[in-house]
Amino acid sequence: MIKNLYKIPKHVAIIMDGNGRWAKRRGLPRVFGHREGAKAVERILKAALNTEIKWLSVFAFSTENWGRPKEEVDAIMSLLVEYVNTKVPTLIEDNVRLRFIGRKEGLPEMILKAMEEGEKATEHCTGLNFVVALNYSGKAEIVDAVNKILEEGRIDITEKDFKNYLYIPDMPEPDLLIRTSGEKRISNFMLWELAYTELYFTNLMWPDFDEEEFYKALYFYQTRERRFGKVIG
Ligand code: FPP
């Protein structure tokens, strides 16, 4: 347990990048990379459970990812269904609440069913919130929020009000964003929520990311001084 480190982020968000390259380097089909990527998800969730992190969110599938070959899209969707169908008992045991963000439209029935069942089965869990971004786009989340506001006929809202129209209104903004694979981009992930987030990039491909690397990222966070645009000291 690393419970007593003096500064633990409340919310860690992850852009899990590099599954395809991890597979390609080994002469394997991309799908193998996603399968190893799913194992890394489990590892990091376990590692987060050994800390006081309250929210862990992962970018599993973006609205842009539909542009990939059908067999790859199908494989990612199947992995997600398999994950929910097999891991829910462990999530409950670990007191983890599973939640999804993203647009429901366009998702296959089997995935919608698994998402709904997974969310419902873990609704009562009060430990870590595990957020899976699926068919997600940060711009779409903002547009969806604006449309909800327009539907309600509101004309004057504050930033605080706006937050209530995001996919999970009670989700705190990420303190730390981790992106693997060496790319240094936000790629349309949580555009509203990442405004003051500390960014951590590593060259490791997502399937190679492990507990030790996760703790390295937490250590990086502990060395940052967050000023939120103010002058401190
Ligand atoms: C990015 O690597 C990875 C994805 C788009 C898919 C991530 C999905 C999983 C790990 C499936 C399991 C998820 C859960 C929550 C159990 P990439 O394919 O873009 O890699 P590349 O940039 O090397 O091509």
Side-chain angles (χ1 to χ4, degrees):
M1 290 290 255
I2 55 161
K3 278 218 177 259
N4 293 320
L5 288 180
Y6 73 102
K7 201 168 78 173
I8 290 290
K10 195 171 182 184
H11 181 178
V12 178
I14 308 181
I15 301 180
M16 317 180 282
D17 197 11
N19 291 349
R21 274 164 286 169
W22 181 93
K24 198 170 169 217
R25 284 178 190 172
R26 287 160 180 79
L28 297 166
R30 294 176 57 83
V31 173
F32 280 66
H34 297 311
R35 208 169 287 157
E36 285 303 308
K39 290 184 196 160
V41 170
E42 274 190 68
R43 271 200 307 272
I44 301 313
L45 178 59
K46 283 269 172 242
L49 285 168
N50 284 331
T51 71
E52 286 172 344
I53 292 169
K54 288 293 288 176
W55 293 76
L56 179 73
S57 50
V58 295
F59 202 176
F61 194 85
S62 74
T63 50
E64 290 80 25
N65 288 151
W66 293 108
R68 296 186 177 210
K70 187 180 178 308
E71 64 167 36
E72 183 174 343
V73 171
D74 289 349
I76 295 176
M77 293 295 162
S78 302
L79 271 174
L80 283 159
V81 173
E82 190 186 313
Y83 178 81
V84 178
N85 290 345
T86 59
K87 301 295 169 199
V88 161
T90 316
L91 294 179
I92 295 172
E93 218 168 278
D94 290 333
N95 200 19
V96 173
R97 180 167 176 187
L98 177 64
R99 308 173 89 160
F100 289 92
I101 53 172
R103 284 188 173 160
K104 303 272 185 286
E105 302 94 73
L107 286 174
E109 197 50 47
M110 66 156 189
I111 187 99
L112 288 170
K113 191 167 168 283
M115 286 162 72
E116 206 181 303
E117 285 173 4
E119 284 190 328
K120 208 163 182 330
T122 60
E123 210 171 30
H124 64 285
C125 296
T126 54
L128 185 118
N129 289 277
F130 178 44
V131 181
V132 178
L134 183 54
N135 198 22
Y136 177 86
S137 140
K139 286 188 181 177
E141 179 173 24
I142 293 170
V143 169
D144 288 351
V146 170
N147 280 322
K148 279 184 235 162
I149 292 164
L150 292 174
E151 270 167 34
E152 289 184 11
R154 296 186 66 168
I155 48 164
D156 188 18
I157 63 155
T158 63
E159 286 183 17
K160 221 170 141 198
D161 294 330
F162 189 81
K163 193 178 184 311
N164 290 326
Y165 293 89
L166 295 173
Y167 292 142
I168 303 182
D170 62 318
M171 182 180 83
E173 291 174 3
D175 304 291
L176 172 68
L177 172 81
I178 299 171
R179 181 172 188 151
T180 55
S181 95
E183 308 294 351
K184 296 184 176 66
R185 287 191 290 273
I186 299 302
S187 297
N188 208 359
F189 192 41
M190 295 197 184
L191 295 184
W192 177 274
E193 296 90 335
L194 291 176
Y196 282 103
T197 303
E198 296 293 335
L199 308 177
Y200 178 83
F201 300 103
T202 164
N203 288 333
L204 283 177
M205 300 296 141
W206 175 248
D208 290 328
F209 197 74
D210 61 13
E211 293 84 345
E212 206 180 316
E213 296 298 329
F214 185 63
Y215 295 141
K216 262 192 218 167
L218 297 186
Y219 182 68
F220 157 86
Y221 175 78
Q222 293 182 323
T223 63
R224 306 299 302 160
E225 181 195 353
R226 303 186 77 196
R227 293 193 292 274
F228 299 95
K230 299 175 191 136
V231 174
I232 310 266

